[in-house]
Amino acid sequence: MELLVALVALAITLWQLKLQRDEIRANSQINSLIHVARLLSEKIEHHERIIDSLKSKKTDWTGHAHRVNRELRPMLSQVNAKLLDSIEAKLPALDSATLRQALKLNDEQNAA
């Protein structure tokens, strides 16, 4: 009987450890996506400052604009959509449809 109780306790402990490991992985993914989104936003702001500087000097700035509009912004939109998906998986009560509409993630993701 004591052996059965010990085995059940061990099984419960192993299940709790698995749940903790899964939670840590999910939180790590969310934190990574937040970090990538922040880096992309900073890169976009950097290119926008360069564009403003080049415009004031009346030199060609279209290369930077193309990079921002064709590469960085769509990538940021994808990261934000993935972040929202990850958060929605953890918080099903979140009204993600309204949030996606406010952030205009559906339109940009469908266009990509």
Side-chain angles (χ1 to χ4, degrees):
M1 184 67 171
E2 293 173 6
L3 183 60
L4 181 63
V5 171
L7 288 175
V8 170
L10 180 62
I12 291 171
T13 303
L14 291 175
W15 181 252
Q16 287 177 334
L17 287 173
K18 181 198 176 303
L19 291 176
Q20 284 178 346
R21 186 178 65 228
D22 293 347
E23 184 73 18
I24 290 170
R25 284 182 180 159
N27 287 336
S28 295
Q29 180 185 18
I30 288 173
N31 286 333
S32 296
L33 289 169
I34 290 169
H35 183 67
V36 169
R38 189 176 302 131
L39 288 173
L40 286 169
S41 295
E42 290 173 2
K43 192 72 170 173
I44 289 169
E45 290 173 11
H46 172 71
H47 279 284
E48 287 176 344
R49 285 192 300 271
I50 292 173
I51 290 169
D52 290 341
S53 174
L54 292 174
K55 281 182 179 180
S56 68
K57 293 177 185 175
K58 298 185 184 194
T59 57
D60 184 34
W61 49 269
T62 56
H64 291 281
H66 287 299
R67 176 135 196 258
V68 167
N69 292 328
R70 291 186 182 162
E71 293 176 25
L72 298 175
R73 288 190 198 279
M75 195 178 307
L76 179 60
S77 179
Q78 289 173 356
V79 168
N80 285 335
K82 178 69 176 165
L83 178 60
L84 193 56
D85 289 343
S86 297
I87 292 171
E88 184 181 29
K90 287 183 65 111
L91 301 171
L94 178 70
D95 186 9
S96 62
T98 305
L99 190 53
R100 284 180 190 279
Q101 188 176 22
L103 295 173
K104 297 181 181 172
L105 290 177
N106 287 337
D107 297 335
E108 293 175 13
Q109 193 173 22
N110 291 337

